[in-house]
Amino acid sequence: MRLTDLLEMIWKNLWKRRSRTIFTMIGVIIGSVAIFTIISLGNGFKKYITDEIGSVFDTSVISVSPAIPPSAYGAPVTPDEKKLKTKLDKKAIKDLKSYSFVKSVIPKLNDYGNIEYKKISTGASITGMPMKELSKKDDLLVGRYPTDNKNEAILGYKMATLLLDYKPTDKVDSKEIESLLRRSFKLNISNNGMMPGTKDSSKTEDEHTINLTIVGISKENAMDDFTVKVPLSTVEDIKKWKASKTQNDENKEEGYTSVEVVLKDTNKIDEAEKTLKENGYQINSFKEIQGSIGKLLDGVKLILAALAGISLLVAAFGITNTMNMAIYERKKEIGIMKVIGGSVNDIKKVFVGEACTIGLMGGTIGLTLGFIANFLINMLANAFITKGQVPKIKIASASPGLILFILLFSTLVGFLSGVVPASKAAKLDVISSIKEE
């Protein structure tokens, strides 16, 4: 049987019973739309989350923190534990700078204090770092970076709004933000573990006050909004003061809270991470966070897609049932085909072809409806999330691979659903088929 004759016969048979064909196809359409939309949402949402994280984290930076040995949690001490960098001191900084992929190394020291500005008093996270290295970044809204070894500071955006007596959610005019520049505030540090200035801080000797001048305000950034950045020497002095006032070994330990390793080439981040881990450093990077979130979203996407695939399984039973009914209705036609020389394979081709056509057409219509659904989802997302502003986002995003998968999978469902009915039709006895008719 020629291909053109086969296609013509398939089309005539489906069109003749078009009502049944349409209802059988609906199951495939629903399943295709569900899988297409769910995976599109997964793809788009994954990219959206990655982009949002990318706006917070610097992709060229690997954050190194002091390694915590397994023995700290009660595990046996292992030979590998000896090479772990449990303290980030000046020796570790020198070692990090020696790697060929490292552009710069930025040590950080963190502390906590209380800020007093006019009538405003609020707690704040204090981060000390070398301002010479920090000044190479472009994360200031207004002002400049502090000079090392001077009592100057950069305020996080939300911290600046608090000092202006606004709520963190309020929108503040940029000129009002800029008015904080060159203003001074008091940073009170407590050594007894209590908030400076509270009633529990009974001894004034347990408090230390530093006058700082505001020279810069950071851009809005979830990581730094409530942080006060100062020169590294300022926090080092705070640590020394605390060590002089207490016998607590915690304050006497040397070492930085964390270290930012800035890479020369972001494409070499895999090599850098592997090398640092092998040398005992505990690292965190944007890529690791991205990978973890990606795996989580991929898992959720696959589970939901599998649930949506159940509708295609139901559709497969519907196609099988339709083909079985067609056999009983077309016994005479099958018998005549055999009499005029039609082979067993020709009969199988007709029924399998009809089942595949139902699957393919259902998948094609499902894709069309899926694209419409994606368009509506993205339109609503931009209306409510970005409120029509540029750049626009794509919460639902389809890839060429997904389109090809839907077409092939829906056709495969049709093929598998038509194999058994086609074999049954091919085995019908010619004489009995014509006689019954």
Side-chain angles (χ1 to χ4, degrees), residues 98-117:
S98 67
Y99 294 108
S100 59
F101 52 77
V102 174
K103 180 181 179 181
S104 61
V105 176
I106 306 173
K108 290 184 177 182
L109 266 178
N110 293 341
D111 213 302
Y112 189 84
N114 192 71
I115 288 177
E116 288 184 14
Y117 176 75

Side-chain angles (χ1 to χ4, degrees), residues 117 146 156 271 283-284 333 339 347 390 408 419:
Y117 176 75
E271 175 195 337
I283 65 170
N284 290 291
E333 180 184 327
V339 168
I347 295 171
V390 178
L408 291 177
V419 169

Side-chain angles (χ1 to χ4, degrees), residues 64-116:
V64 180
S65 54
I68 302 174
S71 59
Y73 300 104
V77 178
T78 62
D80 292 336
E81 188 174 308
K82 293 180 180 179
K83 69 178 184 181
L84 291 178
K85 300 296 191 296
T86 56
K87 187 183 294 184
L88 299 176
D89 50 18
K90 292 182 179 179
K91 183 180 177 182
I93 298 299
K94 186 177 179 181
D95 179 53
L96 288 169
K97 287 181 177 179
S98 67
Y99 294 108
S100 59
F101 52 77
V102 174
K103 180 181 179 181
S104 61
V105 176
I106 306 173
K108 290 184 177 182
L109 266 178
N110 293 341
D111 213 302
Y112 189 84
N114 192 71
I115 288 177
E116 288 184 14

Side-chain angles (χ1 to χ4, degrees), residues 47 66 98 142 144 155 158 168 222 235 250 318 339 355 385 419 426:
K47 186 178 184 303
S98 67
V142 292
R144 61 173 176 84
L155 295 183
K158 299 294 185 185
V235 183
E250 183 180 346
V339 168
I385 297 177
V419 169

Side-chain angles (χ1 to χ4, degrees), residues 179-358:
S179 68
L180 284 171
L181 296 180
R182 296 176 295 280
R183 300 289 179 88
S184 296
F185 65 90
K186 291 181 179 180
L187 173 62
N188 297 318
I189 306 294
S190 173
N191 188 51
N192 58 10
M194 305 305 297
M195 177 70 74
T198 61
K199 293 179 181 180
D200 294 317
S201 299
S202 54
K203 296 182 179 180
T204 56
E205 305 87 54
D206 289 335
E207 292 186 11
H208 180 57
T209 300
I210 303 172
N211 290 313
L212 294 171
T213 302
I214 303 168
V215 296
I217 311 292
S218 296
K219 294 177 183 177
E220 271 193 273
N221 185 316
M223 296 295 293
D224 299 324
D225 274 345
F226 293 95
T227 300
V228 177
K229 294 178 182 177
V230 296
L232 185 62
S233 58
T234 301
V235 183
E236 285 177 336
D237 290 342
I238 291 171
K239 296 289 185 183
K240 288 176 183 177
W241 174 81
K242 284 188 174 184
S244 68
K245 293 293 182 179
T246 182
Q247 298 299 318
N248 191 338
D249 291 337
E250 183 180 346
N251 286 330
K252 292 186 177 182
E253 286 184 359
E254 294 182 2
Y256 300 104
T257 309
S258 63
V259 176
E260 284 189 359
V261 176
V262 184
L263 304 180
K264 292 178 181 177
D265 185 359
T266 54
N267 295 322
K268 292 186 177 181
I269 189 168
D270 290 327
E271 175 195 337
E273 288 183 350
K274 183 180 177 182
T275 302
L276 292 175
K277 284 180 180 179
E278 287 175 350
N279 285 279
Y281 291 101
Q282 181 171 299
I283 65 170
N284 290 291
S285 66
F286 165 74
K287 186 176 180 182
E288 283 194 333
I289 297 171
Q290 180 186 18
S292 299
I293 293 176
K295 287 177 182 178
L296 177 63
L297 292 177
D298 285 341
V300 173
K301 182 172 65 177
L302 287 175
I303 292 171
L304 293 176
L307 292 174
I310 293 174
S311 57
L312 275 181
L313 179 63
V314 174
F317 286 110
I319 295 173
T320 302
N321 184 55
T322 297
M323 293 296 102
N324 280 327
M325 290 177 64
I327 291 171
Y328 292 106
E329 293 174 354
R330 294 156 59 185
K331 281 185 177 181
K332 183 177 180 180
E333 180 184 327
I334 294 169
I336 293 172
M337 284 179 65
K338 287 188 173 184
V339 168
I340 63 176
S343 66
V344 170
N345 284 335
D346 288 337
I347 295 171
K348 285 182 178 180
K349 286 177 184 177
V350 172
F351 282 88
V352 170
E354 289 179 14
C356 287
T357 303
I358 290 173

